[in-house]
């Protein structure tokens, strides 16, 4: 999402991550790579650790091909978007400081006074909020033959659209609105026991690529 003058611009990129301890592969394809440069006045950022709108337990947006336990904490899974964003931004030489904001200052609706209090507390220039995240999914089934034997393989796809907003209290203005769309593909074997990990990994990868 954030492009820095010292880093090369990427028009398209593909990141594949194989987890050695898990029997599946996660791949992310960026459909709408964004190119943005942070304002020169922003050298430090607070990230509000609230992943978009409230999600009911066990209900993950419009995902229809996975069945989660009714008590599943969807917020914890969606925190992957924010953890991925933080891990990239916090290592950027462009920024002096990146922190997660204290949620005790957060209300259901933020005011400029709230944004100012958060940034003063964190000693940061701006507040980054994951304003909205919407996800959809699909399953593709592939058939292939080997030694006259027929096999099939399933590929799970999750498309996510996220909207990030950057607020600067000193100016009392929104200094950036960033929308990002990607498709995550998961291939291999996974079931109810590691489904939450699969979804968290997908969210984490998406957050990382929003920050690149």
């Amino acid at each position: 999402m954030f492009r820095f003058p010292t880093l090369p611009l990427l028009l398209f990129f593909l990141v594949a991550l194989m987890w050695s301890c898990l029997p599946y592969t996660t791949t992310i394809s960026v459909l709408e790579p964004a190119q943005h440069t942070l304002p020169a006045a922003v050298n430090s950022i607070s990230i509000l650790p609230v992943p978009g709108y409230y999600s009911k337990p066990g209900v993950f947006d419009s995902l229809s091909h996975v069945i989660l336990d009714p008590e599943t904490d969807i917020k914890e899974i969606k925190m992957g978007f924010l953890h991925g964003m933080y891990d990239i931004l916090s290592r950027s030489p462009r920024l002096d400081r990146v922190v997660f904001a204290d949620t005790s200052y957060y209300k259901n609706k933020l005011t400029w006074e709230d944004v100012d209090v958060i940034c003063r507390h964190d000693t940061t220039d701006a507040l980054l909020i994951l304003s909205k995240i919407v996800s959809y999914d699909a399953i593709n089934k592939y058939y292939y033959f080997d030694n006259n034997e027929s096999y099939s393989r399933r590929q799970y796809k999750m498309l996510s659209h996220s909207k990030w907003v950057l607020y600067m209290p000193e100016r009392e203005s929104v200094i950036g609105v960033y929308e990002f769309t990607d498709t995550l593909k998961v291939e291999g074997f996974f079931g109810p026991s590691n489904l939450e990990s699969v979804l968290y990994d997908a969210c984490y990868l998406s957050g990382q690529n929003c920050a690149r």
Side-chain angles (χ1 to χ4, degrees), residues 20-93:
S20 58
C21 60
L22 294 175
Y24 57 86
T25 303
T26 304
T27 303
I28 180 169
S29 302
V30 179
L31 301 183
E32 298 175 11
Q35 299 179 20
H36 302 284
T37 300
L38 285 173
V42 176
N43 297 300
S44 54
I45 293 176
S46 293
I47 300 175
L48 188 70
V50 178
Y53 301 132
Y54 168 77
S55 297
K56 292 172 56 180
V59 180
F60 194 122
D61 295 342
S62 297
L63 301 190
S64 59
H65 294 279
V66 295
I67 300 176
L68 295 167
D69 186 285
E71 301 303 316
T72 299
D73 190 340
I74 302 301
K75 177 183 176 182
E76 289 302 312
I77 296 176
K78 287 188 174 183
M79 281 298 295
F81 290 108
L82 296 160
H83 293 157
M85 172 68 72
Y86 171 83
D87 283 352
I88 294 297
L89 293 186
S90 63
R91 295 197 299 266
S92 169

Side-chain angles (χ1 to χ4, degrees), residues 9 11 18 35 38 40 58 82 102 119-120 131 162 164 174 178 186:
L9 297 179
L11 298 180
M18 173 71 79
Q35 299 179 20
L38 285 173
L82 296 160
D102 186 342
C119 289
R120 284 181 181 275
S131 173
S162 59
W164 305 75
V174 172
Y178 314 99
V186 183

Side-chain angles (χ1 to χ4, degrees), residues 117-134:
V117 168
I118 290 172
C119 289
R120 284 181 181 275
H121 175 270
D122 295 341
T123 320
T124 52
D125 300 318
L127 176 66
L128 180 64
I129 294 178
L130 177 52
S131 173
K132 181 177 68 174
I133 179 72
V134 180

Side-chain angles (χ1 to χ4, degrees), residues 13-208:
F13 54 90
L14 181 70
V15 178
L17 177 63
M18 173 71 79
W19 300 94
S20 58
C21 60
L22 294 175
Y24 57 86
T25 303
T26 304
T27 303
I28 180 169
S29 302
V30 179
L31 301 183
E32 298 175 11
Q35 299 179 20
H36 302 284
T37 300
L38 285 173
V42 176
N43 297 300
S44 54
I45 293 176
S46 293
I47 300 175
L48 188 70
V50 178
Y53 301 132
Y54 168 77
S55 297
K56 292 172 56 180
V59 180
F60 194 122
D61 295 342
S62 297
L63 301 190
S64 59
H65 294 279
V66 295
I67 300 176
L68 295 167
D69 186 285
E71 301 303 316
T72 299
D73 190 340
I74 302 301
K75 177 183 176 182
E76 289 302 312
I77 296 176
K78 287 188 174 183
M79 281 298 295
F81 290 108
L82 296 160
H83 293 157
M85 172 68 72
Y86 171 83
D87 283 352
I88 294 297
L89 293 186
S90 63
R91 295 197 299 266
S92 169
R94 165 65 177 77
L95 295 169
D96 298 328
R97 178 176 171 80
V98 179
V99 298
F100 277 117
D102 186 342
T103 53
S104 65
Y105 295 96
Y106 172 70
K107 302 173 184 176
N108 290 333
K109 186 176 182 180
L110 282 173
T111 65
W112 280 113
E113 181 180 359
D114 298 327
V115 176
D116 184 62
V117 168
I118 290 172
C119 289
R120 284 181 181 275
H121 175 270
D122 295 341
T123 320
T124 52
D125 300 318
L127 176 66
L128 180 64
I129 294 178
L130 177 52
S131 173
K132 181 177 68 174
I133 179 72
V134 180
S135 301
Y136 304 89
D137 64 352
I139 289 181
N140 293 332
K141 193 171 184 179
Y142 301 95
Y143 295 91
Y144 60 95
F145 296 88
D146 184 26
N147 293 328
N148 295 322
E149 296 280 346
S150 175
Y151 298 89
S152 65
R153 182 179 182 85
R154 293 180 183 274
Q155 180 189 76
Y156 177 72
K157 295 169 59 176
M158 185 173 84
L159 186 145
S160 295
H161 179 77
S162 59
K163 180 179 180 180
W164 305 75
V165 183
L166 191 63
Y167 297 87
M168 191 170 190
E170 184 179 359
R171 301 179 184 175
E172 288 198 2
S173 63
V174 172
I175 57 175
V177 177
Y178 314 99
E179 297 195 44
F180 195 84
T181 300
D182 56 39
T183 298
L184 299 119
K185 301 176 183 177
V186 183
E187 295 185 87
F189 304 95
F190 56 91
S193 62
N194 57 2
L195 181 57
E196 292 180 33
S197 296
V198 170
L199 293 176
Y200 175 87
D201 293 344
C203 294
Y204 180 82
L205 280 174
S206 180
Q208 279 195 322

